[in-house]
Amino acid sequence: MAGLGTRHAPSFRLISAHFALGLVGMLGFAAALLWRGAAVEGHFFQPTLLGLTHLCVLGWLVPVAIGAMHQLIPVVFEVPVRSERLAWLAFALYVPGALGFMTRLWAFDLGWLFIISAGLLVTAIILYAVNLLATLARAAHVSLTGAYVIAALGYLMLAACLGFALAYNLHRPYLYIDHVRVLRAHAHAAGLGFFGLLVMGVAYRLLEMFLLSHVSALGPGWVALGALNLALAALLTNFVFGQVAVLTWFGVLAALVGVAAFLLQVRRLYRARIKRSTDAAWLHSLAAFGYLALAAAVGAAIALAGRPEALRQRLELGYAVLFLPGFVGSIVVGQLYKIVPFLIWFHRFSAYVGLKKVPSASELLAPRPQWAQLGLMHAGLALLAAGVVAPSAPARLAGALLFAASAALHARNLGVLYRRRP
Ligand code: HEM
């Protein structure tokens, strides 16, 4: 844990602002799921689903991921953030951009406000990515984690640019190919390219820190990186330029090899761990790896199996639930239970060590509310995914209810942490 805070870390306010935004986004997404959970069915291209997806990713997952990268990159690579001012500027553009974009997309009001918001959003994302890449460029050497993060930031910029191109097409149609082709490329560049590679790359480092584990043979980690990049190259090209069966097969196979190699590397780290006790954060990570394996299987079934259109639509929605709130959301929630206590401890308690009795970072929040939140969240997500694929509106609503309770408890738990003082 001591590895999380050093003199290179940026201000506590910058990280807290991103985490607070992400928490508000999670609560908003949970409320929206409760409100519109019954309508999560049919083809994915419809205003409600577009709005819900972007509320989940732009409201909740991206702000936490960006905040965590600003904390972890300087610490892991021992270089300060290239420009904290630029990060604040990006934040100032991101908030109105994301809000305007999500609400206008949901209302399917595609006028000037929509396109200006999309412009602010893409500018903010590019500023964040360039600033973080410039930070990494100063590092003495690029480790396995660094290579994943660089690739992930490249895909984030690609996804945001494709998103803007799609938004402009909705505002003033100009694409001469079916926009759904570009949409699939956008969603995979963002989902697998950005979130997938980022979570995997950072997971190697965080598992080392939190499980006190060290493995010098990183072969499967590098194989996963190579295979996933090949998969993305094949799939993105194929989505946009045509349906060449051999490219689909190759892309799916490479993606499956990549996911399997990643899970193998995680297993090695887990086996070499010194810390034996398990906590809620670790179980969130285990659940995330389960969602990832399931999403990979469902994705392969969608790409390769012959099936009726109605089943395909249900599988596509199930795929999105498993991957976004399932895989990425579980990692985000679990890691906040590690990063936030440490930051509160580091900034408020560490100065008193040796002067008076100080609790450790892991003692700042009792375990029971963390376990309760874990149970509610995964029961909710499992019901939600089952209700989408089955399909069953009551199961989706019950899932949304449990997920909303878990989001409220997560907010309460982080609130307790933020109020802790020596
Ligand atoms: C980085 C995280 C992002 C993820 C994971 C993501 C994911 C997705 C997914 C899964 C869909 C299609 C299905 C649906 O929701 O119904 C979609 C569609 C879309 N996204 Fe995103 N997105 C992200 C960021 C963005 C950004 C930054 C923009 C704009 C600047 C954007 C613009 C769009 C548009 C306009 C569509 C509809 C496409 C069409 O007209 O066919 N997205 N996105």
Side-chain angles (χ1 to χ4, degrees), residues 147-189:
Y148 272 79
V149 173
I150 291 171
L153 289 170
Y155 286 111
L156 175 63
M157 288 194 283
L158 175 65
C161 292
L162 288 174
F164 185 76
L166 285 163
Y168 203 86
N169 185 61
L170 288 176
H171 176 67
R172 293 234 189 296
Y174 69 95
L175 282 174
Y176 59 87
I177 53 171
D178 181 2
H179 68 110
V180 174
R181 287 183 173 206
V182 184
L183 180 159
R184 288 188 200 278
H186 159 72
H188 282 79

Side-chain angles (χ1 to χ4, degrees), residues 44-45 49-50 53-54 57-58 62 101 118 121-122 125 156 160 163-164 166-167 170 179 183 186-187 190-191 195 324:
F44 54 77
F45 187 77
L49 297 184
L50 288 166
T53 308
H54 290 87
V57 293
L58 300 174
V62 169
F101 177 75
L121 191 56
V122 71
I125 288 179
L156 175 63
F164 185 76
L166 285 163
L170 288 176
H179 68 110
L183 180 159
H186 159 72
F195 282 125
L324 292 173

Side-chain angles (χ1 to χ4, degrees), residues 170-309:
L170 288 176
H171 176 67
R172 293 234 189 296
Y174 69 95
L175 282 174
Y176 59 87
I177 53 171
D178 181 2
H179 68 110
V180 174
R181 287 183 173 206
V182 184
L183 180 159
R184 288 188 200 278
H186 159 72
H188 282 79
L192 187 59
F194 170 57
F195 282 125
L197 292 181
L198 178 69
V199 167
M200 290 179 193
V202 171
Y204 301 137
R205 189 72 191 97
L206 288 178
L207 291 181
E208 272 186 346
M209 282 184 200
F210 297 140
L211 297 177
L212 302 179
S213 161
H214 181 70
V215 170
S216 45
L218 298 174
W222 287 107
V223 169
L225 180 62
L228 288 168
N229 274 293
L230 283 176
L232 279 158
L235 292 174
L236 299 192
T237 315
N238 208 22
F239 284 141
V240 178
F241 296 108
Q243 296 297 327
V244 182
V246 70
L247 265 188
T248 307
W249 277 95
F250 177 78
V252 170
L253 197 69
L256 290 176
V257 169
V259 170
F262 163 71
L263 293 174
L264 181 65
Q265 186 70 54
V266 167
R267 186 162 162 262
R268 284 191 180 173
L269 279 164
Y270 184 67
R271 287 194 154 183
R273 75 195 187 284
I274 293 174
K275 194 175 162 203
R276 293 278 146 181
S277 61
T278 41
D279 54 19
W282 168 244
L283 281 195
H284 274 297
S285 304
L286 271 188
F289 303 144
Y291 291 118
L292 176 66
L294 270 177
V298 174
I302 295 169
L304 305 175
R307 70 274 114 178
E309 188 55 27

Side-chain angles (χ1 to χ4, degrees), residues 255-420:
L256 290 176
V257 169
V259 170
F262 163 71
L263 293 174
L264 181 65
Q265 186 70 54
V266 167
R267 186 162 162 262
R268 284 191 180 173
L269 279 164
Y270 184 67
R271 287 194 154 183
R273 75 195 187 284
I274 293 174
K275 194 175 162 203
R276 293 278 146 181
S277 61
T278 41
D279 54 19
W282 168 244
L283 281 195
H284 274 297
S285 304
L286 271 188
F289 303 144
Y291 291 118
L292 176 66
L294 270 177
V298 174
I302 295 169
L304 305 175
R307 70 274 114 178
E309 188 55 27
L311 176 61
R312 184 192 172 95
Q313 289 179 354
R314 279 161 24 211
L315 288 179
E316 281 176 334
L317 293 184
Y319 177 56
V321 171
L322 289 169
F323 196 89
L324 292 173
F327 168 56
V328 186
S330 307
I331 287 281
V332 155
V333 167
Q335 292 313 317
L336 281 184
Y337 283 136
K338 287 290 185 190
I339 298 174
V340 173
F342 178 76
L343 290 181
I344 300 286
W345 184 89
F346 186 73
H347 289 283
R348 295 198 187 140
F349 290 81
S350 61
Y352 294 94
V353 172
L355 299 178
K356 62 178 184 178
K357 196 172 177 304
V358 172
S360 68
S362 58
E363 286 166 354
L364 292 180
L365 180 65
R368 274 179 62 181
Q370 296 180 57
W371 288 110
Q373 192 276 330
L374 174 102
L376 286 169
M377 179 166 165
H378 297 293
L381 286 173
L383 269 173
L384 205 59
V388 162
V389 177
S392 153
R396 291 199 294 276
L397 279 177
L401 198 63
L402 293 177
F403 182 79
S406 84
L409 192 49
H410 186 50
R412 177 259 173 207
N413 288 348
L414 294 186
V416 167
L417 280 169
Y418 267 92
R419 283 196 300 276
R420 290 295 307 255

